[in-house]
Amino acid sequence: MSSRQVSGDPAKSGRVSLSSRWLWPSISGVVSVAFGLGVAELVAGVLAPAASPVLVVGSLLIDLAPPWAKDAAISLFGTGDKAALLTGIAVALALVAAAAGVLQNLRPPIGRVLIIAGGLFGMGAAITRAGSSIFDSIPAAVAMIAASVALTALLRRKPSDTPKATDVSRRRFLGWAGGATALGALGALGGFALQAGARAATAVRSAIHLPAPSTAAAPVPAAADFGIDGLSPIITPNREFYRIDTALQVPIIDPTTWSLRIHGLVENEVVITWDELLALPLEESITTLMCVSNEVGGSLIGNARWLGYPIRHLLERAKPKSGANMVFSKSSDGFTASTPIEALQDDRNAILAVGMNGELLPLEHGFPVRMVVPGLYGYVSATKWVTDLEVTTFSAAAAYWTVRGWSDHGPIKISSRIDVPNRNTAAGDVVVAGVAWHQHTGISKVEVQVDDGPWREAELATAISADTWVQWRYTWNATSGSHVLRCRATGSDGEVQTSALANVVPDGATGLHEVQVSIG
């Protein structure tokens, strides 16, 4: 044998293969954590359906994230922010699990310590959620124990470096890893199957028929919608309506168990059930809602036909005491919002909504009941899955977003948006069109500017009401080249949309929407 050759037995040569050092331990870590989470889902399905370790950790991360991080996530992913978060959690878990396997192999018991730390974090996330109990920590504890035991077992069976034993030991290891993965998957599927309560609530929901409104919304004027391709329809379909909230998992609430409590600085505490709410004279109204995270020209805005009962009538029953200036609404998932009490008592149609565009309120939009308040950003008014209204003061309570640096009132600012034309358009007459809004005030004028030329007034469609957006259009004789289009709105009160740029934090973005087009 040449002096350059090395014995094929790593044990004799004093070397350990990269597979033994890194690959098999990494696989062991990932499989062990997957197994642990699968078993945890099964336990959660039996004991605490809302305590899935992945979901409670994700919810905690949402709560802990600073405003700039939430704003960045919404800007990057829009209504897909939750899917992006879950994907990120899965990737992070896989990396941490792989690291735990390697560390446990090289420097025991560091890998198990890492898994235990993750389990404790999950337990803490579970018991700090709204309405949680000590039982909610059990799934994360089970995941921690199961993953630790599985990691130890798999590392003992990792393939040998001895050439003659490698194939046999590799097959044995992969068999154990595959079996653990399969058991984890079966556990997760079992956990999902055990969520009978959610299925029962869904069955109850499917049997509900909305009552006819005692007061129907006026028909949408034919002249309210220009019918231009690419222009936002005057009524936003439910499937296209934006969804921004803090619920990583959409709450499934059985309406037969739902109730709303109105209390605090009131003379009479009021509690109303689902059946009682549906028996009241419900009113229909068309209202535009908007998220405060909507950038200038953004899509986090929609207009829908809502069915519900005016909150002002319930407040009249409760009789707020002198000095009360805020209603602190709470969601079943722990979200809170601070709404100026006058916005719920004046002539705007602030309602407890049960229907949306002629259908039962969709699950993701707050079923069974949500708040709809014209003129205020959603973070201070549009509480979904609402269960509690506390009449109080701004000095006595601070809501979810307020303690994170956002304004506590949140009136929607006047704005406008360009929807068409496309970025590349032929020369000649080009229709520039979009929407404008100034809720609870109305729009009197929209103007368009081409490059830095004069402002030209656009044609307004017929507005449904002061609480909805309105379409506009302008015919532009486009010439070849690159151009910048801008729009600005003027409210019925004379307020002109400002050109001053402001970020969404703390009370909504400002500036003029502009788009660059290339005319061929």
Side-chain angles (χ1 to χ4, degrees):
M1 178 183 294
S2 169
S3 60
R4 294 180 179 270
Q5 291 179 307
V6 180
S7 170
D9 187 343
K12 292 181 178 180
S13 67
R15 299 183 181 183
V16 178
S17 72
L18 291 178
S19 294
S20 181
R21 183 180 290 269
W22 303 103
L23 178 60
W24 307 124
S26 296
I27 294 175
S28 299
V30 173
V31 169
S32 299
V33 170
F35 171 76
L37 290 175
V39 175
E41 289 294 339
L42 181 61
V43 173
V46 175
L47 298 179
S52 162
V54 173
L55 292 178
V56 296
V57 168
S59 297
L60 181 62
L61 292 178
I62 290 175
D63 291 346
L64 294 178
W68 63 264
K70 292 186 174 72
D71 183 34
I74 293 172
S75 297
L76 287 172
F77 303 109
T79 55
D81 58 333
K82 294 169 185 62
L85 175 60
L86 288 173
T87 301
I89 290 174
V91 172
L93 273 175
L95 293 174
V96 172
V102 172
L103 290 171
Q104 183 63 24
N105 182 57
L106 298 178
R107 297 286 187 272
I110 296 177
R112 279 201 299 269
V113 169
L114 189 58
I115 288 176
I116 291 171
L120 293 175
F121 182 76
M123 294 170 65
I127 61 177
T128 55
R129 299 300 296 165
S132 64
S133 69
I134 191 65
F135 290 102
D136 292 306
S137 66
I138 294 177
V142 169
M144 174 180 68
I145 295 170
S148 297
V149 171
L151 180 61
T152 300
L154 285 173
L155 285 178
R156 287 175 178 172
R157 291 166 174 82
K158 68 182 176 69
S160 169
D161 283 322
T162 305
K164 292 183 179 179
T166 297
D167 290 341
V168 174
S169 60
R170 183 185 296 116
R171 285 194 295 269
R172 184 174 63 242
F173 172 80
L174 292 177
W176 277 90
T181 302
L183 287 174
L186 287 173
L189 291 174
F192 298 148
L194 286 170
Q195 294 180 10
R199 294 199 307 274
T202 301
V204 171
R205 182 180 185 277
S206 65
I208 295 173
H209 298 283
L210 286 176
S214 62
T215 303
V220 175
D225 196 329
F226 286 133
I228 299 171
D229 287 342
L231 176 59
S232 300
I234 195 64
I235 300 293
T236 309
N238 290 356
R239 66 182 180 278
E240 298 175 11
F241 207 95
Y242 78 94
R243 179 200 164 199
I244 297 293
D245 52 55
T246 61
L248 193 57
Q249 182 181 40
V250 174
I252 307 295
I253 300 172
D254 184 346
T256 63
T257 66
W258 176 89
S259 65
L260 176 77
R261 178 182 176 221
I262 302 176
H263 61 106
L265 298 178
V266 296
E267 294 183 14
N268 305 311
E269 183 171 310
V270 175
V271 177
I272 186 169
T273 66
W274 171 255
D275 288 337
E276 290 170 339
L277 179 60
L278 289 191
L280 294 172
L282 303 182
E283 299 183 8
E284 194 177 53
S285 55
I286 301 176
T287 299
T288 297
L289 296 185
M290 181 177 174
C291 178
V292 72
S293 295
N294 198 41
E295 301 281 355
V296 173
S299 61
L300 302 181
I301 182 172
N303 190 47
R305 184 189 301 268
W306 307 94
L307 177 68
Y309 188 69
I311 298 174
R312 63 179 180 275
H313 294 332
L314 294 176
L315 289 177
E316 287 169 1
R317 287 196 209 175
K319 296 182 179 179
K321 295 180 180 179
S322 175
N325 60 13
M326 186 259 277
V327 173
F328 193 72
S329 57
K330 299 178 184 178
S331 165
S332 67
D333 73 334
F335 174 81
T336 57
S338 55
T339 307
I341 195 169
E342 63 269 17
L344 304 178
Q345 292 179 310
D346 61 19
D347 61 348
R348 78 186 77 194
N349 206 29
I351 62 172
L352 293 175
V354 297
M356 181 179 182
N357 288 333
E359 302 175 2
L360 201 62
L361 198 64
L363 293 172
E364 66 272 18
H365 289 296
F367 177 82
V369 183
R370 71 170 295 167
M371 293 172 63
V372 172
V373 183
L376 298 179
Y377 287 118
Y379 81 103
V380 295
S381 67
T383 303
K384 302 175 184 176
W385 315 290
V386 62
T387 58
D388 190 277
L389 299 180
E390 179 184 0
V391 178
T392 182
T393 65
F394 281 103
S395 61
Y400 183 93
W401 286 112
T402 304
V403 298
R404 289 164 173 79
W406 297 74
S407 168
D408 56 8
H409 279 62
I412 295 178
K413 299 175 180 179
I414 183 173
S415 195
S416 56
R417 185 182 75 201
I418 299 172
D419 287 348
V420 294
N422 295 325
R423 301 286 177 172
N424 296 291
T425 305
D429 286 345
V430 172
V431 175
V432 182
V435 287
W437 56 90
H438 193 19
Q439 279 96 323
H440 210 54
T441 300
I443 295 292
S444 65
K445 181 172 63 175
V446 171
E447 297 168 287
V448 175
Q449 183 186 54
V450 179
D451 299 323
D452 293 318
W455 288 98
R456 305 290 188 184
E457 187 168 350
E459 176 189 0
L460 288 180
T462 301
I464 297 174
S465 75
D467 290 329
T468 66
W469 63 11
V470 61
Q471 293 183 352
W472 58 266
R473 65 184 176 189
Y474 171 75
T475 301
W476 166 44
N477 185 11
T479 58
S480 297
S482 180
H483 301 276
V484 174
L485 305 176
R486 299 182 186 87
C487 64
R488 71 179 181 189
T490 300
S492 298
D493 57 356
E495 181 182 358
V496 179
Q497 180 181 346
T498 181
S499 60
L501 296 176
N503 196 5
V504 296
V505 182
D507 58 0
T510 63
L512 301 181
H513 186 213
E514 63 178 47
V515 297
Q516 187 167 344
V517 295
S518 179
I519 305 299

